[in-house]
Amino acid sequence: MPGFQRPIYHRFFIIFALVLSAWWGFGNFAVSQTLPLQTLPSQAPASVYYDDHETPEPAWLDGGGACSHSILLRRREEGGAMTGSRAEHIRLQCQNNGDSIYLVYRLRPLAITNELLPMLGVKASRSGVKLMARIVLPLTKDPQTGRAVTFFVQGGVYSSTNRWQKLRIDRMQELVSEQVARLRREADERARSNPAEKLLINSQSAYMDYVFLDAYCGEGIVDVFMDSLEISGASEVVLPSANPYLLAAQSNQTNQASSAPHGLSSGGAPTEEGVVAWSQLSDFPPETKEVGNPEGIQDIETVPSAEQFPSTEEDRVDGVATQGAPTPSAKNEIRMRDSMLTINGTPIFVRAIRYRGEKLAFLHEIGFNTVWLATPPTAEMEAEALRLNMWFICPPPIDLSNVDGEPADAIQMDQLRVFAYNRVIAWDLGVPPTRVTLPEGETSAVAYARKQMRFLKSIPDSTLPYRPIIAQPEKDIRHFSTIYDVLLTSRSPLNSTLDFVSFGYWFRQTLNSVRGSKPLWSIVPTQHDPLLLGQWRQTAAGVFGAQENFYQRSGGNLSVPETLPTEQLRLMTYSCVMAGSRGLLFESPSRLDSGDQETVYRLKSLSLVNLELLMLEQWLSQGGSFATLPSNIPHVAGAVLATPHVRILIPLCLEPESQYSGASGASRNVEFIVRGLPSTYQCWKYSPDGLIPLPYETVAGGVKIVLDELPLVSTIVMTPNPTIMTSLSRRSRIFAPKMVGLMQEIADLRLRYFLQFYGSIELQGNELMWFERGKHYLEQSKRNSEAQDYSEAFLLAQRAMRPIMLMENRIWREKTASLPSPNFVPSATAFRSLHLLDRWTSLLATLEEGDNILFGGDFETIQNFKIYNWRNFQNQTELPGIVARAGILPEGAHEGERGLTLEIVAKNPKEAPSLFDSPPIMIQSPPLMIGPVGTIYEVEAWVNIPRKLVGSVEGLKISDTLSGDVLAERVLETNGWKKVSFRRIVKSEEPIHITISLSGYGKALVDNVSVRPFKSREFVQ
C-alpha cells in the first residue's frame, strides 16, 4: 500500500526471504528443455510456500465468475484468525443469476508434481465455498485467442458454518492428468468434423498460477475469511521463454475477456470437466486496496429471504410427491459436484431399489426415485421413467474384460441407440477386480482397475454418455477411492456380532479414509442375509447325522422369516444416513409385488422409510456435514446435519444387541446439548402435523434440548427462517395421512406376527396385559386419524408396537441367555427364528458330538501346517505402513508346545491405516467334507488376546465359508484363554473352510481349532 511503512522485523523477514529465494533458484526463467508432466526435472527444489495473512494488506482479489456480485468489504482483520492474529475478510453481495464467484490469490508458476499440495484455512457464514486452482498448459496455444489453454481443478468444499476448516487439493498431478486426457478427447471429437482445426494438447511444463475460492453460496450476503495459505511441494517451473504465447506469467498477469478457447466449454461456472473459459474471468486487479464496511451492513449471520429457500411446489405423479426432484428434460446433465450427485444442476439423494421385474409405476408409488438394474434399460423403460421422473443405475454396455484392446471392440453397439441412457444417472461397475479375478499378467488389482477406468473414459461422450462411476470394493477402499466417483459399502450389523455403534464408527472412519471427498453410498438389506436364511431353511427342512442311516425331519410346517422387522430396517437406514452416506441402494433379493404376507410387510416398511427420507432429502441432497452428538442416555445418540440456515438433529435409539431383536425406542427425558447454535435459531420437532415448538435453554457449552418421549427415531429442526418452517409444515401435512396409515398397518402386522409365532392362545398374565395395551394404542391411533390429529396418531401407532417389541426382546434374551453368544446357533440371531431354535434344541437331544475331523489345528509344527494344506493369506503388500506377522510359536500354546500367533504393528504411523477395511492376515483351513446335507457340526477354538485390539471393529474373527461374516464370531479382548465356538448345519455338498483373520493392531493367540460333526445316539428310521 503506498506510503505504508513496514515494521523493522517485517523488512528483515522480506530481505531474508529474498536471499533464500535466490539461493533456491526462485525467479529463474532461463531457457531449458521441457519434459513430460510426470517427470519435470527442470524445476527448482521443492519447498513450502506459506502466507500467514498477518500483513495488513489484503491479497485476495475479485476474479469474476458467472454470477453478478459486488464486494462490500475486503480487509485484513485482527482477532478470530485460525492462526496468528489476522485473517482476510471478504463480504460479498450475490445475485441469483449464476453459480460461481471467484476470489483469486496470485502465485508464481508452480510445477505440477505429486508433492504439490495447496491448503487454506476458510471460515464462512454459509457452507459450499470451494477451493480450486488454475492450471496452465503453456505449450498449448488456443487458436482463437492466441493464449495458453487453462482449466481448473477442484479440491475440498467448506461444509461448516462460521467455523474454521482446512481445505486441500489432494492428488494434484492425478487431477491434472485426468483433465488433460479429457481435453484431448474433446479435441479429437472436434477434429473429426474439421481436421484442419486439430488442437494438439501438450502438457509439458504445466503449472499452477492461481489459487481460487468459488465463494458462491446462493443469493444474498456471504462472509468469507481466509487464513494460513500453505502450499507444500512448491517448486517453480522453468518456463521456455522462447514460447511466443506464454500466459501472463511473463507479461502483465491479467486476463482479458475473449471467446472460449478452442475445444473448451464456455459460459457458466467450471464445466463438468473442470474446464473454465477465458470469458469467465475478469481482469485480476493489481491493487490491494481495502474496501470499507458500507453503511447498514452489520457483522451478523445473514438470514435467507423467502426466495433463497427452495420452492415448496409439489410435482405429484400418481399420488407421490417429488418435491426438489430434477425437472424431466429431453437430455439431462448428470454430474458429481463435490460429494453430491446433481441432475441438471439440482442435487439428488438417491433412494434406489434392486430391480426384480416389478412395474416402474409400482416402485414409484412405494417412493423410490431410482431403480438399480443388472442390465441397461430398454427404450420402453426409459420412456416410462421419463413419465414418472425416475432414474436408473446400471452397468455400462461396455466389455471391460480386455482393456488392452480397441475401445470400438468393447462397445456393445446393439445396446447403443439415439438418446439412450438419458435416464441413467450412474454406471455400476460392481465389485472391482481382486487378486483372484485379475487377468493373466496383471499383478495389482488397483492398477488394473485404474486401467479399466482409463479405457472407459477414452470412449467419447458422443458414443457413450458420461456418467459417474460407482463400484463396490470388498477391500482397499482408500486406494479405490482414487479411481471411482462413488463407492458402495455393503457391510451390515444385522444378526451379527457387529453392533450398530461399531458399525457407525466403522462407516465414519472409512469415510474419513477415502481420498478427494469421494462419497460413500450404502447398500441397505431388506431381507435377512442369504447365508443366514440358508441355515434357517435347512434347520426347518430336516437334520441328518454324520452316519447316512440317520435322518430326522423337522416335523410340522416350520416357516422361515425372510423380511427384516421394520425397526431394524429403520435402524439400518438411519445409521447409514447419520454416518454420512450420500445415497441408499436397497437390496431386494425377491420381488416386492408378490402379495404374500412377508412381502407385504416388507413393502409397507420400505414405503414408510421412503416417506421419512423424503421429508429430509432436501437437506440430505445438499451435502451438508454430519456431526455425532451424544445424549444423557448411553444408548441414545444423535447426528446434526448442518446446511445453510438449517440444522437437523436426528436422535436414534441404539439399544444393546438391537441388531438381533430390534429396539423398543421407549426412551424418555432425552437431553442433547447442541454447540454453536446461533441465538437467532429456534427449535422445532418434526411431526406429521407440521412443526411443533420444542422448548430449549441456553446452558454452558451450548443449547440444551429435551425430548419428553423419543420413539425409535425422531427429527428436530433448528432454523431462524419462518419461510422454511412454513414450507416444512405444509409438506408434513401433505404426507401425514399416508405416513400414519402405514405406521398403523405395520403395527397391526406386528401384533398379528406375535400371535402367529408365539402364544396365540397361551397369552396370560402380564403378557396378555401388554398385548391388550398394544391393541388399545392402535385403536386409539385410528380414532385420532379420523379426527385428523395425525401427530398423536403417529405417536400412538409407534406406542402400539412398543409392548410387542418389549415382550419379543424379553423372550429372545431368556431363550439365548445360556448360549456363549447369539451367533452360537444360527436360529438364535433373531426373535422370529426362535421357533427354529426350539426345534434345533430338541433335535440335538438325539445326537452326540463326534470326533475332530480337522487336522493341523493344534499348530504344533510348520511342517504339519503345510502337510495338512493350511494357508496363510497376508495383505501386507498393499498396506506398506504396517508389519503383519503370523507364526507358530511357544507363546501361542494353549495345550502342547506351540500355537498360532498373529500380530499387526504399525511400522510407520503416518502411513498405517487408522482402521482396516479388510484383514491384513487370514489363516484358512484345508477343505472339509463334514457330512451329508443337514449334518450339524461344531467349530471350536481357544483364543487369548492379552491386550484389547485397536484400530478395528472386527478384531479376531473366526468363521466358516457356509455362514460367512453374518455369523462370524468377533473377539477384541479376552481375560486369559477363552473358548470360542459355534454350531452350524451343512446346507450344500460343497467343502467348507474355517477362516481365522486379524484386523486390529495387537497380538492374538489361537490354538486347538477343531471341527466335530454330530452323530446319532441311536438308530432312527
Side-chain angles (χ1 to χ4, degrees), residues 259-300:
S259 60
H262 182 79
L264 307 184
S265 303
S266 62
T271 66
E272 57 276 328
E273 294 84 5
V275 181
V276 173
W278 281 102
S279 58
Q280 293 179 237
L281 306 179
S282 65
D283 291 348
F284 296 164
E287 67 273 12
T288 60
K289 66 181 180 180
E290 188 176 290
V291 179
N293 193 10
E295 185 177 356
I297 302 296
Q298 301 178 359
D299 291 324
I300 59 174

Side-chain angles (χ1 to χ4, degrees), residues 324-339:
T327 303
S329 63
K331 190 171 184 179
N332 297 300
E333 183 181 46
I334 317 294
R335 291 291 176 263
M336 290 300 301
R337 183 170 295 178
D338 305 324
S339 62

Side-chain angles (χ1 to χ4, degrees), residues 632 649 668-673 683 685 693-697 703-709 716:
N632 62 321
L649 170 61
R668 296 185 179 274
N669 298 320
V670 181
E671 297 180 3
F672 289 96
I673 296 181
C683 299
K685 183 179 178 181
L694 193 64
Y696 61 94
E697 61 175 315
V703 174
K704 183 169 74 172
I705 298 174
V706 181
L707 300 176
D708 294 334
E709 180 178 356
I716 311 300

Side-chain angles (χ1 to χ4, degrees), residues 748-760:
D748 186 61
L749 284 172
R750 289 303 301 271
L751 291 168
R752 292 184 187 181
Y753 273 135
F754 188 81
L755 288 180
Q756 177 181 346
F757 283 94
Y758 290 94
S760 57

Side-chain angles (χ1 to χ4, degrees), residues 426-693:
W427 298 124
D428 179 14
L429 296 192
V431 178
T434 63
R435 290 185 180 182
V436 178
T437 60
L438 278 179
E440 186 176 355
E442 300 287 345
T443 58
S444 169
V446 173
Y448 186 71
R450 188 171 285 113
K451 184 187 294 187
Q452 284 184 325
M453 284 297 294
R454 285 196 299 266
F455 182 81
L456 185 60
K457 290 182 177 181
S458 68
I459 300 173
D461 289 352
S462 58
T463 302
L464 183 71
Y466 164 81
R467 294 293 183 265
I469 305 298
I470 67 175
Q472 183 186 341
E474 294 178 335
K475 60 179 183 178
D476 302 324
I477 292 180
R478 181 170 177 265
H479 293 93
F480 283 115
S481 65
T482 64
I483 302 173
Y484 304 110
D485 300 307
V486 179
L487 303 177
L488 296 180
T489 65
S490 59
R491 179 170 293 189
S492 168
L494 296 172
N495 308 112
S496 76
T497 51
L498 180 70
D499 58 41
F500 275 103
V501 174
S502 299
F503 168 77
Y505 173 75
W506 168 83
F507 196 103
R508 281 234 179 240
Q509 291 297 318
T510 302
L511 185 60
N512 292 336
S513 70
V514 301
R515 300 178 180 178
S517 301
K518 298 292 181 66
L520 292 183
W521 291 1
S522 302
I523 297 177
V524 179
T526 64
Q527 294 174 283
H528 292 288
D529 189 280
L531 293 178
L532 179 61
L533 285 174
Q535 292 284 310
W536 289 352
R537 287 171 182 148
Q538 187 56 52
T539 302
V543 173
F544 286 82
Q547 300 172 357
E548 294 187 8
N549 60 358
F550 170 79
Y551 173 70
Q552 190 163 349
R553 294 186 182 276
S554 60
N557 184 20
L558 293 182
S559 60
V560 174
E562 296 186 355
T563 299
L564 291 171
T566 304
E567 64 271 14
Q568 288 190 327
L569 178 62
R570 295 173 79 199
L571 278 175
M572 185 66 193
T573 300
Y574 281 99
S575 293
C576 293
V577 170
M578 288 171 57
S581 180
R582 297 300 187 200
L584 300 175
L585 277 65
F586 290 87
E587 185 61 78
S588 179
S590 60
R591 297 175 66 110
L592 281 166
D593 56 0
S594 300
D596 60 278
Q597 183 173 281
E598 287 284 308
T599 303
V600 169
Y601 182 39
R602 186 160 59 107
L603 174 68
K604 295 185 182 301
S605 299
L606 287 170
S607 299
L608 177 64
V609 168
N610 273 323
L611 276 178
E612 291 181 315
L613 292 174
L614 190 61
M615 298 284 196
L616 297 173
E617 71 172 357
Q618 186 168 309
W619 297 280
L620 295 177
S621 64
Q622 292 179 12
S625 61
F626 262 113
T628 304
L629 198 64
S631 75
N632 62 321
I633 299 178
H635 64 265
V636 175
V640 176
L641 171 61
T643 61
H645 314 294
V646 177
R647 297 189 189 181
I648 307 293
L649 170 61
I650 304 176
L652 188 64
C653 288
L654 298 171
E655 296 177 2
E657 297 183 320
S658 55
Q659 72 269 28
Y660 296 116
S661 62
S664 62
S667 301
R668 296 185 179 274
N669 298 320
V670 181
E671 297 180 3
F672 289 96
I673 296 181
V674 183
R675 305 181 185 277
L677 191 68
S679 59
T680 56
Y681 278 55
Q682 294 177 298
C683 299
W684 309 79
K685 183 179 178 181
Y686 211 169
S687 77
D689 271 339
L691 296 183
I692 301 174

